[in-house]
Amino acid sequence: MDHEKPCVCVLDASTYVGFWILKGLLNRGYIVHAAIQKNGEKEIEKQIKDMEKVDERLVVFHVDILDYQSILVALKDSSALFCCLDSPDSYDEKMVDLEVRGAINVVEACAQTDSIEKIVFNSSLTAAIWREDICSDKDVDERSWSDQGFCRKLKLWYALAKTLSEQAAWALAMDRMLCMVSINAGLVLGPGVTQQNPRSTMFYLKGAAEMYENGVLAFVDVNFLADVNIRAFEDRSTGGRYFCFNQIVNTEEEAVKLAQSLSPLIPLPPRYECQGSEVYAERLKTKKLNKLVEGTAC
C-alpha cells in the first residue's frame, strides 16, 4: 500500500459534500479519517461503512461536534481537516447556534492537534450575498458578507448559520494562528442530490427569486467542489475565502433547467414554456477560484 500521501480528516463525512470530498481524497491516495455525526445522512453513512470494509486507507470515527474530545480523536495524526457542517434536519435559530458552536469546537480541536497543517472550511455563497442592498449593482466577491440583521429579519436561517459559523471559524483560526481556507459554494448539484441532500438544497434556495433577479443565484457541481477543496489543501499558497461555482443562473431558460434538475424538490407546472427573454446581470466574481483551478492561487 502507498503511504506517500498524508492522513487527512473529513468532518462531517456523511454530508453530501463531505462524502464527495472523501471519495476524491481516496482516489488520490490519501489516508482518510471519516468523522461522522450520529444524525448524519443514513444512506451515505452506510456507503462509507461499506467502503471501510474494503479500503484499509479509510477509517470511520463517530463524533459529536459539541463533544470536543470526540473531535480530537478523529483528528489524530491528520495533516488537514475538511470541515463540512450541515444540519440533517431543519434550520432555525437553535440550529444556527449549534452550527456556530460546532465550528468553534472543530477549529479549537485543530489548534490542539500538532499535526494539522491546514483547515479547509466549507461555507456557502449565502454567507456573502444577503444584505439590505442586495438589489444594488455592486459586484459581490470574497470580501462580501451577509448581514446578520437582514438574515434574521427575513428568517434566512441557513444563510445566517453559514455566515456566523464561518465568521466564528475565521476569528478563532486567526487567533490560534491556524492556516485556513474557506470554500463558499453555490447551490450544490450532482448525482443523487435530491435524495441525499434535499433539506440543505431547499434551505439554500430560500429567497431563490431574489437571488436570481439580482444575479447572485449560482450552482456548483459537487465533483468540481470536491476537487477545489483538495486543490485548496495541496496548494500551499492558498489563503482566505474562495467563491466556488460553475454557473450563475440569470436567464429564465437556465432557471427552468435548474428546477428540472432538482425535480421533484422543485415542481414545475405542466407543459411549462419559457416566456421571458430578460437576462439579469451577473454580479458574483471568481478571480481567486480561476487562479486556483489554473494552478496559480493568489
Side-chain angles (χ1 to χ4, degrees):
M1 184 176 65
D2 183 3
H3 284 290
E4 288 184 8
K5 291 289 180 75
C7 174
V8 296
C9 180
V10 181
L11 188 167
D12 181 344
S14 67
T15 61
Y16 185 70
V17 173
F19 181 54
W20 279 82
I21 294 172
L22 178 152
K23 291 198 292 185
L25 289 164
L26 289 173
N27 288 338
R28 287 166 173 80
Y30 285 91
I31 301 165
V32 182
H33 287 185
I36 296 174
Q37 295 189 76
K38 63 181 179 181
N39 59 346
E41 167 57 49
K42 297 303 179 186
E43 181 183 336
I44 293 177
E45 183 177 344
K46 182 181 183 302
Q47 289 183 58
I48 292 173
K49 289 181 176 178
D50 288 343
M51 290 164 63
E52 184 186 27
K53 296 173 183 176
V54 296
D55 193 335
E56 58 184 353
R57 291 174 300 123
L58 176 61
V59 184
V60 175
F61 294 83
H62 290 275
V63 301
D64 178 349
I65 58 170
L66 300 183
D67 179 2
Y68 177 76
Q69 292 299 323
S70 70
I71 302 171
L72 283 175
V73 172
L75 289 177
K76 190 176 187 301
D77 299 325
S78 296
S79 60
L81 170 70
F82 296 85
C83 184
C84 310
L85 300 181
D86 256 336
S87 169
D89 301 313
S90 63
Y91 270 92
D92 52 22
E93 279 191 279
K94 181 180 178 182
M95 184 50 62
V96 171
D97 179 61
L98 287 174
E99 193 158 310
V100 172
R101 289 165 61 194
I104 291 171
N105 277 348
V106 167
V107 175
E108 182 59 40
C110 288
Q112 302 302 323
T113 304
D114 292 337
S115 58
I116 291 289
E117 299 173 7
K118 184 179 282 187
I119 302 170
V120 182
F121 190 91
N122 280 270
S123 184
S124 170
L125 284 178
T126 61
I129 62 177
W130 287 109
R131 300 188 302 278
E132 292 281 358
D133 64 347
I134 189 174
C135 296
S136 76
D137 58 359
K138 295 178 182 176
D139 288 343
V140 181
D141 62 19
E142 286 85 357
R143 296 167 294 182
S144 306
W145 287 95
S146 290
D147 180 81
Q148 299 177 28
F150 187 70
C151 290
R152 291 185 189 278
K153 183 170 72 172
L154 297 187
K155 293 182 168 54
L156 298 165
W157 303 124
Y158 178 86
L160 183 62
K162 298 308 174 186
T163 303
L164 295 182
S165 61
E166 187 190 348
Q167 288 178 336
W170 273 118
L172 188 55
M174 288 188 284
D175 182 69
R176 298 291 190 268
M177 293 187 291
L178 294 170
C179 179
M180 188 173 108
V181 171
S182 67
I183 309 296
N184 295 77
L187 176 68
V188 180
L189 301 181
V193 69
T194 57
Q195 293 81 35
Q196 297 179 347
N197 201 37
R199 292 182 179 88
S200 289
T201 300
M202 296 308 295
F203 296 142
Y204 186 106
L205 286 170
K206 183 168 185 182
E210 291 85 352
M211 286 190 276
Y212 167 62
E213 291 169 4
N214 290 288
V216 293
L217 177 60
F219 64 82
V220 61
D221 175 76
V222 70
N223 195 45
F224 178 75
L225 176 57
D227 181 63
V228 167
N229 266 261
I230 298 169
R231 285 174 181 259
F233 165 58
E234 293 179 337
D235 188 330
R236 293 183 178 275
S237 68
T238 55
R241 306 170 87 200
Y242 287 81
F243 280 8
C244 184
F245 60 89
N246 296 115
Q247 184 179 335
I248 296 174
V249 178
N250 66 338
T251 68
E252 188 175 353
E253 182 180 3
E254 291 166 355
V256 171
K257 285 181 181 178
L258 175 62
Q260 289 171 338
S261 72
L262 292 172
S263 177
L265 285 181
I266 303 178
L268 277 174
R271 298 178 184 173
Y272 184 89
E273 293 182 4
C274 293
Q275 302 296 323
S277 58
E278 185 166 3
V279 178
Y280 295 100
E282 298 183 0
R283 291 173 50 214
L284 295 169
K285 302 303 174 186
T286 56
K287 289 181 180 178
K288 287 186 69 178
L289 177 72
N290 295 340
K291 291 179 180 178
L292 174 60
V293 172
E294 291 164 5
T296 54
C298 64

